[in-house]
Amino acid sequence: MQSKIRYDFSAQVWISPGMGGWVFVSLPKELAQEIRQHLGSLEEGWGRMKATAQIGDVYWDTAIWFDKKHDTYLLPLKAEIRKKARVNLGETISLSILL
């Protein structure tokens, strides 16, 4: 079994503009640079990288996506996850990703 690298950070929850906008947190740019430098070879199509995410005691399998417009990875937060973790739009949260 391959061990995973854990990254802990804080980020603000935001919604993309437009109808039915997705909800995300943006990884800090310094963290994104480090991940791309050391783990960029794990990216699949469109800058997608499989990950496990954690907010408090809520874990889920997901992916981060590199967004050239924001120059960082984005972690989507589905409504189900936001509800379980009691996360609100605009809130700054502490979370972790394992890659």
Side-chain angles (χ1 to χ4, degrees):
M1 179 176 172
Q2 180 181 350
S3 63
K4 295 191 174 200
I5 300 171
R6 179 185 185 97
Y7 295 96
D8 300 314
F9 61 99
S10 294
Q12 186 174 25
V13 179
W14 59 276
I15 189 166
S16 62
M19 290 277 294
W22 282 66
V23 176
F24 298 97
V25 293
S26 301
L27 276 66
K29 289 187 179 186
E30 309 80 44
L31 179 56
Q33 290 172 353
E34 180 180 330
I35 291 170
R36 275 207 124 179
Q37 180 180 355
H38 298 289
L39 301 172
S41 63
L42 299 177
E43 284 184 3
E44 299 173 349
W46 300 286
R48 177 183 184 270
M49 187 180 301
K50 293 178 185 177
T52 300
Q54 177 189 4
I55 301 172
D57 61 355
V58 178
Y59 287 84
W60 73 101
D61 291 324
T62 187
I64 56 175
W65 303 80
F66 193 81
D67 181 58
K68 291 180 181 178
K69 181 179 175 183
H70 293 97
D71 194 32
T72 190
Y73 287 101
L74 305 180
L75 172 67
L77 299 176
K78 293 182 180 180
E80 173 188 359
I81 299 300
R82 295 192 312 272
K83 184 177 179 179
K84 284 183 183 178
R86 298 183 184 127
V87 169
N88 299 305
L89 290 175
E91 183 178 6
T92 298
I93 60 171
S94 296
L95 63 154
S96 303
I97 55 170
L98 294 96
L99 303 171

